[in-house]
Amino acid sequence: MANTPKKVTIKDIARIAEVSPTTVSLVLNNKKGVGKETRYRILRVASELKYTPNLMARSLAKSHSDIIALTILQARNALFMEIADGAAEAFNENGYSIMMASTYDDPDLETKELASARARGVDGFLITSAQVESPGIWELVEDGVPLVSVLRRVPGLSNLNYIMEDSFKGGYLAAEHLIKLGHKRIGIVKGTPNTTTGIGRFEGAVAAMKDNRVPVDDKLIAPGEFARGAAYLATLAMLHLPDKERPTAIYACNDDMAMGVYEATLDTGLRVPEDMALVGFNNAPYTSLPTVALTTIDVQAHEMGRLGAERLIDIINKKRGHTKPLQVIMEPKLIVRNSCGARKEDEPAS
Amino acid sequence: MANTPKKVTIKDIARIAEVSPTTVSLVLNNKKGVGKETRYRILRVASELKYTPNLMARSLAKSHSDIIALTILQARNALFMEIADGAAEAFNENGYSIMMASTYDDPDLETKELASARARGVDGFLITSAQVESPGIWELVEDGVPLVSVLRRVPGLSNLNYIMEDSFKGGYLAAEHLIKLGHKRIGIVKGTPNTTTGIGRFEGAVAAMKDNRVPVDDKLIAPGEFARGAAYLATLAMLHLPDKERPTAIYACNDDMAMGVYEATLDTGLRVPEDMALVGFNNAPYTSLPTVALTTIDVQAHEMGRLGAERLIDIINKKRGHTKPLQVIMEPKLIVRNSCGARKEDEPAS
DNA sequence: CCGTTTTAGTAAAACGGTTTAGTAGACCGC
DNA sequence: GCGGTCTACTAAACCGTTTTACTAAAACGG
């Protein structure tokens, strides 16, 4: 542990205050059954010795740790950090420490991190990076471990607590927006296929296109893996198609990829929005910058994290996990800025 | 803890395999002194029972936890997350779990979080959000707790391990760049004054101005608290000065504030870079976007985090903390983009 | 074949707390 | 003056591991 100077324990206090360790524990936990006299004496000794309890030992004895596990995709990803920020607020306010684990959207790594956090004795899990195939989450849920999934869902796990975006509707809105602006050839850069967001954001757009009889062309659908670099390359390929097949608009399943599309477009000598309309997804902070002004979808990531954390704490405290699971679907909102050439509507103050 | 199903312990294994708990522990930790026969039997029973060790109990017994505390300013802040990301890489590779704590640049909160993490039994601290007045850090260092400060320094703590940016030089380069472009009236939006980065980035710029006999005007120096909103307001105030006093260039002590300056400039009807040159600090990911193209300073945040974490692990493992402390100063680099109207030099590939 | 070392194994203490099950004495009603 | 309830306090068990100290038997050397 992090304490080179010999750590003062409850026994030291007991010895000096001439009482039993039990009594000291009683006092330190504000329980009754100790006289005023002794109580003060113990408190005084404790403060003189600068006693701080060993939370690890306490956790072992009490069988709960006041630590939660927070899994994210990666710390560098703005969306997940926005969520984590909201969650951290709530956890801090309620005295929880946060154990952070990155999964990098790798199912095996997710399983591993989940197991490790559990062995560490965390009280519950807030999972923002859930995979579609997720044995680790299945096991936790089966064992009744307090768990809330934020942003994503795990298909098939009907009793999962989650707070997520409406990916499908978001995707639908995005594509519909482009269609209404008159675009017939719409390219789509997809996210990772092993996540509900990756799937939903894509399928929603396809649905909008089908509903409006806009052709869905395989050549205009590219994998982007939620990564800017991949989106850049995918876009370059699309833009090198023959004139007639080239897209006049592109929908990227997240903002990072939209930036990749943006770059590729410019590098090809085209302008946004004049030659190419562009829609992203997430409303990442930087997209609201006046010079970027990316049309996008707001899913209230910060608020989602917060709600998820509050709920998790709730479940841990009252163990009312046996009542029906909470399943909130946040309303996605299209934020229209400049990247599509549409009129600028309500730009929220930053 | 997170285990509603009765947890299988080392004693269960011992009972079923008909050996003592000691022997089981020996086997599970790959220590010698156990026959092949029994070793296999124990291993088989353990795997049949799906045994996973209780890491909390192990930590208590072994007096170390394989957990490190990582303090950040706030999860929402791109710079700190960039650092955290690098650190997480190294920690993961070495089997450490991360306990994350946000300080919000509040000294009291920092003290509290540090104490809490310590009570939790973390093996060491990676601190990215160090305050200038930092009793909590002083105490840790005095007690010989493994600790590395990244990005910032704690003045007065000469034996502190740190990996930081050269804030002063960075600020100097930023201001010098503006001066070379011919600017005489340079505004500065400062960061928080209780951090070494906030101080250094400012003082470096002032030094450059003095060295070049450019007037340092109090009216053109505004507090920004490292926050975009504050920078926005501060800039508005500057831009409403009489024509002769108004700045022709502004240096913001981080990129977020630069964005605030950007907005305020545009909202005042001025253009960047034609009417206003702008320099930021951090090389945040979004600043490299073609449409933002903000001239800034790169401090290799990701790499700093990584180095800091590696060093921390090193110290924990070999306890060679008594040798001279590691004190690395990363070379800051000016990344010239478009926001100052200077020629575009080496734009690194994203 | 005897003393010494090695091997395989164990019982008990430790880590630093909490919790359970008491005990001894004061107080109370009747 | 006797049973019953409170109050103040404690000894011992417990949480799930690791570690120390020890033993019995086997192997070894000469």
Side-chain angles (χ1 to χ4, degrees):
Chain A
M1 310 282 185
N3 23 272
T4 321
K6 60 282 161 208
K7 189 67 180 160
V8 21
T9 80
I10 229 172
K11 283 173 192 159
D12 299 323
I13 300 180
R15 189 167 25 78
I16 297 182
E18 297 178 305
V19 291
S20 78
T22 308
T23 310
V24 177
S25 175
L26 255 26
V27 169
L28 261 23
N29 290 304
N30 272 321
K31 300 207 170 142
K32 56 189 167 188
V34 182
K36 275 203 168 176
E37 198 75 347
T38 16
R39 181 174 294 268
Y40 287 145
R41 179 155 37 94
I42 290 174
L43 252 20
R44 186 155 34 74
V45 173
S47 100
E48 272 169 11
L49 262 43
K50 293 193 204 306
Y51 169 79
T52 54
N54 179 326
L55 264 25
M56 214 126 223
R58 173 179 295 180
S59 297
L60 184 58
K62 299 183 79 152
S63 287
H64 78 262
S65 59
D66 292 343
I67 301 176
I68 59 89
L70 172 68
T71 77
I72 58 171
L73 170 60
Q74 182 173 17
R76 219 195 306 218
N77 185 301
L79 173 62
F80 288 86
M81 279 307 119
E82 199 71 18
I83 296 177
D85 196 64
E89 262 180 48
F91 286 133
N92 289 342
E93 285 167 15
N94 290 275
Y96 280 88
S97 290
I98 297 172
M99 188 139 269
M100 184 180 81
S102 310
T103 67
Y104 302 98
D105 263 353
D106 171 354
D108 293 338
L109 195 50
E110 174 183 286
T111 310
K112 187 176 142 291
E113 292 288 0
L114 257 25
S116 151
R118 191 174 182 190
R120 283 243 138 82
V122 301
D123 285 350
F125 291 78
L126 189 71
I127 296 182
T128 68
S129 53
Q131 299 293 301
V132 165
E133 296 288 344
S134 202
I137 297 182
W138 275 86
E139 189 177 338
L140 291 175
V141 170
E142 268 170 16
D143 290 353
V145 175
L147 181 157
V148 172
S149 178
V150 174
L151 181 64
R152 296 179 183 171
R153 201 168 53 83
V154 180
L157 256 184
S158 57
N159 55 339
L160 175 76
N161 296 288
Y162 61 74
I163 299 187
M164 63 178 294
E165 58 172 45
D166 189 338
S167 300
F168 187 91
K169 187 166 177 186
Y172 196 100
L173 287 172
E176 192 181 48
H177 180 66
L178 291 172
I179 294 167
K180 281 189 181 158
L181 291 174
H183 292 282
K184 300 291 180 198
R185 297 203 54 75
I186 300 176
I188 303 180
V189 183
K190 298 162 75 173
T192 64
N194 55 330
T195 61
T196 54
T197 46
I199 296 167
R201 293 178 188 183
F202 170 67
E203 291 186 345
V206 170
M209 290 164 74
K210 289 196 170 150
D211 285 356
N212 290 278
R213 302 185 204 297
V214 168
V216 178
D217 184 349
D218 278 350
K219 285 194 292 297
L220 298 187
I221 295 176
E225 298 292 325
F226 281 145
R228 186 165 149 195
Y232 179 88
L233 296 176
T235 305
L236 279 191
M238 281 191 215
L239 296 182
H240 281 87
L241 288 171
D243 275 8
K244 289 283 156 71
E245 299 186 5
R246 193 184 299 156
T248 61
I250 290 181
Y251 158 54
C253 290
N254 79 5
D255 289 339
D256 279 0
M257 294 196 300
M259 289 304 109
V261 174
Y262 209 163
E263 280 182 285
T265 306
L266 264 53
D267 288 357
T268 311
L270 300 173
R271 294 158 302 165
V272 173
E274 292 85 348
D275 308 314
M276 170 69 75
L278 179 57
V279 183
F281 205 116
N282 276 357
N283 194 24
Y286 59 81
T287 60
S288 67
L289 296 177
T291 44
V292 173
L294 178 73
T295 296
T296 188
I297 306 282
D298 182 10
V299 295
Q300 303 176 68
H302 189 267
E303 187 65 10
M304 283 204 302
R306 198 183 164 88
L307 285 175
E310 281 168 355
R311 177 62 181 185
L312 178 60
I313 292 167
D314 220 1
I315 294 172
I316 294 172
N317 287 340
K318 283 131 195 163
K319 272 289 184 188
R320 62 166 100 134
H322 288 287
T323 64
K324 64 183 189 312
L326 174 77
Q327 304 188 326
V328 181
I329 298 200
M330 309 284 284
E331 188 66 20
K333 195 171 158 210
L334 177 71
I335 309 280
V336 178
R337 299 202 184 90
N338 295 331
S339 68
C340 292
R343 81 205 168 290
K344 176 146 89 183
E345 287 170 345
D346 53 330
E347 176 77 357
S350 80
Chain B
M1 310 282 186
N3 26 271
T4 320
K6 62 283 163 204
K7 189 67 179 158
V8 21
T9 81
I10 230 171
K11 282 175 193 159
D12 299 323
I13 300 180
R15 189 165 26 77
I16 297 183
E18 298 179 303
V19 292
S20 77
T22 307
T23 310
V24 177
S25 174
L26 255 25
V27 170
L28 262 22
N29 289 303
N30 272 321
K31 300 205 171 145
K32 56 188 169 190
V34 182
K36 275 202 168 175
E37 198 76 347
T38 17
R39 181 174 293 267
Y40 287 145
R41 179 154 36 93
I42 290 174
L43 251 20
R44 186 157 34 75
V45 172
S47 100
E48 271 169 12
L49 263 43
K50 293 193 204 306
Y51 169 79
T52 54
N54 179 325
L55 264 25
M56 214 127 224
R58 172 179 297 179
S59 297
L60 183 58
K62 300 184 76 153
S63 286
H64 78 263
S65 60
D66 292 343
I67 301 177
I68 59 89
L70 172 69
T71 78
I72 58 171
L73 170 59
Q74 181 174 17
R76 222 194 305 220
N77 187 301
L79 173 63
F80 288 86
M81 280 307 117
E82 200 69 20
I83 296 177
D85 196 65
E89 261 180 48
F91 286 134
N92 289 340
E93 284 166 16
N94 290 276
Y96 280 88
S97 291
I98 297 173
M99 188 140 268
M100 184 181 81
S102 309
T103 67
Y104 303 98
D105 264 352
D106 171 353
D108 293 339
L109 195 50
E110 174 182 287
T111 310
K112 186 175 144 291
E113 292 287 1
L114 258 26
S116 152
R118 191 174 183 190
R120 281 244 138 81
V122 301
D123 285 350
F125 291 78
L126 188 71
I127 296 181
T128 69
S129 53
Q131 300 292 303
V132 165
E133 297 286 346
S134 201
I137 295 181
W138 275 87
E139 189 177 338
L140 290 175
V141 171
E142 269 171 15
D143 290 353
V145 175
L147 182 155
V148 172
S149 177
V150 174
L151 181 65
R152 297 179 182 170
R153 202 170 50 85
V154 180
L157 256 185
S158 57
N159 55 339
L160 175 75
N161 296 289
Y162 62 73
I163 298 188
M164 63 178 295
E165 59 173 43
D166 191 338
S167 301
F168 187 92
K169 187 165 178 188
Y172 196 100
L173 286 173
E176 192 181 47
H177 179 65
L178 292 172
I179 294 166
K180 282 188 181 159
L181 291 173
H183 292 282
K184 299 292 182 199
R185 297 203 54 76
I186 299 176
I188 303 179
V189 183
K190 299 164 71 172
T192 64
N194 54 332
T195 62
T196 53
T197 47
I199 296 167
R201 293 179 188 182
F202 170 67
E203 291 186 344
V206 170
M209 290 164 74
K210 289 196 170 149
D211 285 355
N212 290 279
R213 301 185 206 298
V214 167
V216 178
D217 184 348
D218 278 350
K219 283 193 293 299
L220 298 187
I221 295 175
E225 298 292 328
F226 281 144
R228 186 165 150 195
Y232 180 87
L233 296 175
T235 305
L236 279 189
M238 281 191 213
L239 296 182
H240 281 88
L241 288 171
D243 274 8
K244 289 282 158 69
E245 300 186 4
R246 194 185 301 159
T248 62
I250 290 182
Y251 159 54
C253 290
N254 78 5
D255 289 340
D256 279 0
M257 294 196 300
M259 289 303 107
V261 174
Y262 209 163
E263 280 182 285
T265 305
L266 263 52
D267 288 357
T268 311
L270 301 173
R271 292 158 304 165
V272 174
E274 292 84 349
D275 307 315
M276 169 68 74
L278 179 57
V279 183
F281 205 118
N282 276 355
N283 195 24
Y286 60 80
T287 59
S288 67
L289 297 176
T291 44
V292 174
L294 177 75
T295 295
T296 187
I297 306 283
D298 183 9
V299 295
Q300 302 176 68
H302 189 266
E303 188 63 11
M304 284 204 302
R306 195 182 167 90
L307 285 175
E310 281 168 356
R311 178 60 180 186
L312 177 60
I313 291 166
D314 221 0
I315 294 172
I316 293 172
N317 287 339
K318 283 132 194 161
K319 272 289 184 190
R320 61 168 98 137
H322 288 286
T323 64
K324 64 183 190 309
L326 173 79
Q327 305 188 324
V328 181
I329 299 202
M330 309 284 285
E331 188 65 21
K333 195 170 158 212
L334 177 72
I335 310 280
V336 178
R337 299 201 185 92
N338 294 330
S339 69
C340 293
R343 82 205 168 290
K344 176 145 92 185
E345 286 169 346
D346 55 328
E347 175 78 357
S350 80

